[in-house]
Amino acid sequence: MSMHSNTQYRRRLGLAAVATLTAVSLAACGGGSGKKSGSGGSDKGSSGASGSTEAPKNLKLGQAGPVQEITKYDKTGKFSLTPTKVTLGEPEDLDELDDKKKYKDLKVAWIYVKAQHVGGSAVKQPIVMSDVSGETSKGQPATKFLLIGDLSSRPADCRGNDAAKSLEGDDIWKKGETRTVCEPYLIPADATLKAVTYSQGYYKAPIKWAVR
C-alpha cells in the first residue's frame, strides 16, 4: 500500500471513530433529556394532579374534578375540588373603593369551590383557591381580586379561605372534611364567566367546568 493510500486510510478511520463517539454522546444526551422532560413535568408544589394525566372533558359546575394535592407547612393533603356556582356583581359595586379609573369597565365574579379532604396528611390553612381562575365571554381570563378589606356587596354565603373553618372552628383540614371557599375575581363589566378553571401547571391542560 502506498504512503498516500495509507494516510487516507488512517484519516478515514479517524473520522469514523469521531463520528461514532459523537453519535454515542448525542444518544446519551438525548436519552437523559428525554427522561428529564418526561418526569420533570410533575410539579410537587402547592398543587398537582394525581391519577389521570389528562384533564377530563365537559365538566360542569357541581361535578368533581380529579383529586389535587395541596401542600402547606410541609404537609400535603389530597383534595376533591368542585366549583359549585358563580355570582356576578355589578360594575357599581366597585365604586366604594374610590378608584374609578383603576376599576373602570370591570365587575366582580364571586367563584365558589367545594373542597373535600380525601387523603394524605391533615393540612393547616391549605390555599384552596390558589390555582382557580375563570374564562370570560370576552376571551380574557378572570383575574384574582386581592382586596384590602372587603366589599359590602360580598354575598352573605361567600366565605374566603381564612373564614372557611371546620365545625370545630379550627383551620386544620382533616380527611373527610368538606368546606366551601368563595373568592372574588375581576372580569370585564359587559362579560359573563364561561368556565371556572383550575391550573395544573405548565405540563397539563387546565381543568375546566362550564358555567352554563
Side-chain angles (χ1 to χ4, degrees):
M1 182 181 291
S2 68
M3 185 179 295
H4 179 69
S5 297
N6 202 21
T7 300
Q8 285 184 330
Y9 178 71
R10 286 198 300 270
R11 184 177 296 165
R12 285 196 298 270
L13 284 176
L15 290 173
V18 170
T20 302
L21 287 172
T22 302
V24 171
S25 299
L26 288 174
C29 291
S33 63
K35 287 182 181 178
K36 284 183 180 178
S37 63
S39 62
S42 59
D43 185 342
K44 204 174 182 181
S46 62
S47 65
S50 62
S52 175
T53 57
E54 292 187 6
K57 303 295 191 296
N58 302 320
L59 285 171
K60 297 179 181 179
L61 292 186
Q63 294 180 316
V67 172
Q68 303 294 321
E69 291 183 347
I70 300 178
T71 300
K72 189 74 178 290
Y73 299 121
D74 296 324
K75 300 292 185 182
T76 300
K78 295 182 178 182
F79 292 81
S80 173
L81 302 178
T82 307
T84 57
K85 69 175 180 177
V86 173
T87 298
L88 297 180
E90 300 292 339
E92 295 76 19
D93 296 339
L94 298 170
D95 290 348
E96 64 187 82
L97 299 178
D98 294 327
D99 198 339
K100 291 188 177 182
K101 184 177 180 180
K102 182 176 181 179
Y103 300 111
K104 185 177 183 294
D105 298 325
L106 296 172
K107 67 182 177 184
V108 179
W110 304 91
I111 297 178
Y112 295 70
V113 174
K114 182 176 71 175
Q116 182 180 22
H117 189 297
V118 295
S121 302
V123 184
K124 182 177 182 180
Q125 299 173 341
I127 308 300
V128 171
M129 304 292 281
S130 61
D131 293 310
V132 173
S133 185
E135 289 185 355
T136 72
S137 58
K138 292 293 184 178
Q140 303 98 318
T143 304
K144 184 164 289 188
F145 193 10
L146 301 177
L147 272 171
I148 299 176
D150 206 353
L151 286 172
S152 60
S153 57
R154 176 186 286 269
D157 63 346
C158 179
R159 299 188 300 163
N161 200 86
D162 294 337
K165 298 183 182 297
S166 70
L167 294 175
E168 292 79 19
D170 62 33
D171 54 6
I172 298 176
W173 293 45
K174 306 176 187 70
K175 186 175 180 179
E177 289 187 341
T178 300
R179 311 179 197 182
T180 297
V181 181
C182 169
E183 295 288 358
Y185 293 77
L186 290 173
I187 66 172
D190 57 348
T192 58
L193 204 64
K194 290 174 55 179
V196 175
T197 62
Y198 188 91
S199 172
Q200 299 188 103
Y202 294 107
Y203 301 96
K204 295 179 182 178
I207 307 167
K208 296 182 183 181
W209 291 264
V211 173
R212 290 185 179 179

